[in-house]
Amino acid sequence: MSIRVDRDLCTGCGSCVEICLYNGVAMINDIAQITDDCNLCGACVDVCPVEAIVIEREELKAEKMDLTQYRGVWIIAEHFKNKIHNVVFQLLGKGRELADALKVNLSLVILGANFDDNLKEFSQYGADEIIYIKSSILKDYYSDLYVKTLTELIIEHKPEIILIGATPMGRDFAPRVAKRVNAGLTADCTGLTIDIESRNLLQTRPTFGGNIMATIKTPTSRPQMATVRPGIFKPLKKSKRKVIIKKIDYDYNQKDSVSKIVKIINREKKKINLEEAEIIITGGRGVGSKENFKLIEQLADCLNAEVGGSRVAVELNWIEQDHQVGQTGKTVSPKLYIACGISGAIQHIVGMQGSEIIVAINKDPKAPILKLAHYGIVGDLQKVIPELIKKIKKIRTEKEI
Amino acid sequence: MKIFVCIKQVPGVSEVKIDPKTNTLVREGIPSITNPYDKNAIELALSIKEELGAEIAAISMGPPQAEEVLREALAMGVDRAFLLTDKAFAGADTLATSYTLSLAIKKILKELKKDEKYIVICGSQAIDGDTGQVGPELAEELDIPQITYVQKFQIKGDKVIVERIFRTEEVVVIETNFPVLISVLSEINIPRNPTMSGIVDAYQKKEIHYLDAERLKADKAKIGLDGSMTQVWKIFIPERKGEHIILTGTIEEMVQNLCENLKEDKIL
Ligand SMILES: Cc1cc2nc3c(=O)[nH]c(=O)nc-3n(C[C@H](O)[C@H](O)[C@H](O)COP(=O)(O)OP(=O)(O)OC[C@H]3O[C@@H](n4cnc5c(N)ncnc54)[C@H](O)[C@@H]3O)c2cc1C
Ligand SMILES: Nc1ncnc2c1ncn2[C@@H]1O[C@H](COP(=O)(O)O)[C@@H](O)[C@H]1O
């Protein structure tokens, strides 16, 4: 495998140098040259306007896989306290679209214990088939049992696409399954389409903290596995469908797992769900004090919104860690995101740039958040927020009349 | 006991900026750093060593300049450092990376004394690719159990007891045996800074062991681009959507204007 520049084609435009994150290309005498730092990511190949850069792969000595044996789209269900995670319904929505494009079946795979009464309801979200592996121990999550069971199912049924929620749990078992069946796995996708001709799944995901998007494909092997970010795709409207239900009982017990759940500590906390909130009001260092943070809460109250914080706000103890938005906090995509006293550091932005409408209140006209915001207010939040609360309350009462 | 810590050099993400005018990458002076979570992994290894005694090997796969992160690990106090570097490793996805890392670990494991235990510690994810897949795939390759998203870790005799966090609503306490691979969250500890003498040792007393595909006896079909099932097909800079309006006027006017806009957007 190698990368090379066709010296005759290269026009020295420099696009490749510009896009490369690794200093992997340099301009020498107006011709692009690959350096030792190149890691073959392929960004330059795509950006080159004259197709002067090519990556060549050696023909694999290993036997080529017969891709045609693999058919069908699978969604793996995650559940918690006997409730299916919302992302599963979102994936069924997207999965239906992919399955229709490929003209194959869509299957929902559940490993669990107490879902017999819910299967009918689950069958209204787009699946053609539900595979329900039932075992009392599977009411909880056991990494190794998930991996073992799913691998066996994959080897038996040979699906061509497997989608899993990019939650911590999904990201725990998906890679291990992928490794065991030697499948490519793309993490945390936010876009999925099919290239009909090759039947390849085109998997788009943010990388480098969301500054760059990469589209990944798995052309030489099957299944094509992806974990998918929650909150991106929409579930289908419920409708009656004919669904084949395959229920299989497994008699797993504790000894079948190498690890033992010693205990589960429930954290009794005001339930917050930033990932699924429609409106989020976030406060940063500019809020000034814990006392002032009440302003943020009041604004949230009157909009029925959740409260978020930047890392600084969390570190200053103005708000709890659970509320942190950003690279080391939550990734959110509400309809409305109001950033108050937040500068817009990249680590914060990566967690909220998927918001539909972003409003920023900041007294520094040069704050980067104002460049990202759809509506920016340059001003002191201590004056702006009370005014905003007043106004919103007025609108609300007018509406009621 | 032997502890393996896998560390990765990543571009300091905070520096990767987009020039809004040309919509291209501003890549001047992107510094490379140790993946932040991997520093938590190193810190955990050091604290285990201090409590129970252990030999710590830091392993990194990357280009020659990844040596820097290994020097930093040595300066923090790890005992040995291994850099897996070879042109043939370039273009590796997580499958190929975990395979390559496993070869190095297996090579070092040959030194393991009878009854000696080992653990592997990874960061929960690397901030460049953000996949978090290498840890579990490495555990699979080594055929040992894994526990990801760990925020507390303890060794009690023959058992490993950890607290794993998947959701804010609950903490799951899990017990397992050696060997095990864990991936750690930043909550687990605060990484120490290297001391002056640590830095001197890292550059003068300790050395970095280089391993290439040949010394690892790597299967060519499983490393680098050829060993990767996923291929980057296209890389692009996301377009920013929508208009960007900076409201002007008095506070009252700005708020009024904002509310009208939000009404039009059907938010209010
Ligand atoms: C590895 C790593 C991970 C990180 N992860 C995260 C993360 O997950 N989430 C996160 O948020 N950060 C994260 N950070 C930190 C990030 O780099 C920034 O430090 C942080 O986001 C800044 O928070 P801030 O905007 O609240 O504070 P500042 O940057 O200090 O900004 C405060 C802003 O408030 C404005 N202001 C001040 N007073 C007022 C007023 N009265 N009215 C209106 N505006 C006012 C100021 O003009 C300024 O723009 C991370 C950093 C690293 C290195
Ligand atoms: N090239 C590498 N060399 C050493 N360790 C790595 C490498 N890539 C990933 N890791 C480890 O795997 C973890 C998860 O990385 P990733 O799957 O890339 O998000 C990191 O925190 C490291 O501990």
Side-chain angles (χ1 to χ4, degrees), chain A residues 1 17-23 36-41 43 46 55 57-58 60 78-81 141 143 147 168-169 171-173 175-176 178-180 182-187 202 204-205 207-221 258-267 271 279 303 321-322 327-328 330 335-336 346-347 354-355 357 359 370-378 383-384 387-388 391-392 395-396 399, chain B residues 11 13-18 20 24-25 27 30 36-37 63 65 87-88 90-96 98-99 125 127-133 136-141 143-149 151 161 163-177 186-187 220-221 224-226 228-238 240-247 251-252 254-256 258-259 261-263 265 267-268:
Chain A
M1 131 239 81
V17 178
E18 223 160 79
I19 192 127
C20 180
L21 277 165
Y22 300 93
N23 294 320
D36 282 352
D37 291 335
C38 166
N39 80 346
L40 292 172
C41 79
D46 190 62
I55 293 186
R57 303 174 132 238
E58 267 169 40
L60 285 191
E78 166 171 359
H79 52 86
F80 174 59
K81 295 208 158 118
Y141 172 69
S143 193
V147 175
M169 180 180 141
R171 293 171 89 158
D172 183 77
F173 72 80
R176 198 143 184 165
K179 184 97 210 184
R180 201 168 288 180
N182 204 25
L185 171 64
T186 306
L202 304 179
T204 299
R205 64 180 304 261
T207 172
F208 284 98
N211 280 300
I212 297 172
M213 305 296 287
T215 303
I216 313 264
K217 57 183 181 180
T218 315
T220 56
S221 78
V258 287
S259 33
K260 193 169 108 195
I261 296 181
V262 183
K263 68 176 169 196
I264 295 179
I265 308 165
N266 285 309
R267 294 202 288 189
K271 211 178 157 259
I279 303 181
L303 282 168
Q321 161 80 39
D322 286 10
Q327 188 182 306
T328 38
K330 302 268 160 59
K335 285 212 172 80
L336 174 64
I346 184 69
Q347 295 91 343
S355 308
I357 292 186
V359 175
L370 288 167
K371 294 213 188 78
L372 183 80
H374 300 92
Y375 306 112
I377 293 186
V378 179
K383 300 199 181 97
V384 177
E387 181 65 29
L388 187 56
K391 194 100 219 162
I392 292 166
I395 296 171
R396 290 270 143 115
K399 262 196 184 163
Chain B
V13 161
S14 59
E15 307 302 321
V16 182
K17 294 198 183 101
I18 306 297
T24 53
L25 221 59
R27 43 188 301 292
I30 300 176
Y37 296 95
Q65 82 254 22
K87 282 217 138 159
D93 72 354
T94 60
L95 278 180
S98 55
Y99 168 72
Q125 57 188 266
I127 62 169
D128 55 351
D130 249 338
T131 80
Q133 291 177 180
E137 290 181 343
L138 176 57
E140 174 66 22
E141 195 75 66
D143 197 18
I144 63 177
Q146 80 197 32
I147 307 176
T148 55
Y149 300 95
Q151 69 150 8
I161 300 166
E163 287 186 17
R164 181 194 74 196
I165 299 231
F166 275 176
R167 336 181 149 68
T168 45
E169 300 95 306
E170 66 165 26
V171 178
V172 179
V173 184
I174 298 176
E175 186 184 281
T176 191
N177 302 318
S186 57
E187 284 84 356
K220 281 221 166 59
L225 200 59
D226 293 334
S228 300
M229 298 298 164
T230 57
Q231 291 180 2
V232 178
W233 177 58
K234 200 166 101 179
I235 286 195
F236 58 99
I237 294 164
R240 301 193 315 169
K241 48 184 173 185
E243 283 179 280
H244 300 274
I245 306 172
I246 300 288
L247 305 170
I251 287 183
E252 219 170 283
M254 288 192 291
V255 168
Q256 173 75 26
L258 173 66
C259 289
N261 273 301
L262 291 181
K263 266 200 243 169
D265 294 332
I267 300 269
L268 284 183

Side-chain angles (χ1 to χ4, degrees), chain A residues 71-104:
Chain A
R71 286 294 179 261
V73 177
W74 279 17
I75 312 296
I76 314 293
E78 166 171 359
H79 52 86
F80 174 59
K81 295 208 158 118
N82 225 27
K83 207 177 152 279
I84 298 283
H85 195 295
N86 287 346
V87 72
V88 177
F89 301 110
Q90 297 159 11
L91 292 183
L92 282 168
K94 188 68 194 184
R96 183 71 261 160
E97 185 190 313
L98 302 177
D100 286 344
L102 292 165
K103 300 196 172 62
V104 294

Side-chain angles (χ1 to χ4, degrees), chain A residues 117-140:
Chain A
D117 299 338
N118 309 94
L119 297 180
K120 234 197 172 140
E121 202 227 314
F122 298 161
S123 56
Q124 299 177 32
Y125 288 93
D128 302 300
E129 175 191 57
I130 296 180
I131 302 175
Y132 174 35
I133 305 296
K134 188 180 169 183
S135 183
S136 60
I137 189 174
L138 292 175
K139 76 177 192 339
D140 293 317

Side-chain angles (χ1 to χ4, degrees), chain B residues 90-158:
Chain B
D93 72 354
T94 60
L95 278 180
T97 302
S98 55
Y99 168 72
T100 311
L101 291 172
S102 79
L103 293 179
I105 293 179
K106 284 180 184 160
K107 193 175 162 77
I108 305 166
L109 277 179
K110 292 207 179 110
E111 307 163 0
L112 211 63
K113 295 184 204 79
K114 198 171 169 280
D115 293 333
E116 195 182 348
K117 302 174 190 139
Y118 80 93
I119 53 177
V120 183
I121 311 178
C122 289
S124 58
Q125 57 188 266
I127 62 169
D128 55 351
D130 249 338
T131 80
Q133 291 177 180
V134 168
E137 290 181 343
L138 176 57
E140 174 66 22
E141 195 75 66
L142 294 168
D143 197 18
I144 63 177
Q146 80 197 32
I147 307 176
T148 55
Y149 300 95
V150 169
Q151 69 150 8
K152 241 188 205 161
F153 178 92
Q154 214 185 354
I155 294 175
K156 269 203 184 139
D158 277 348

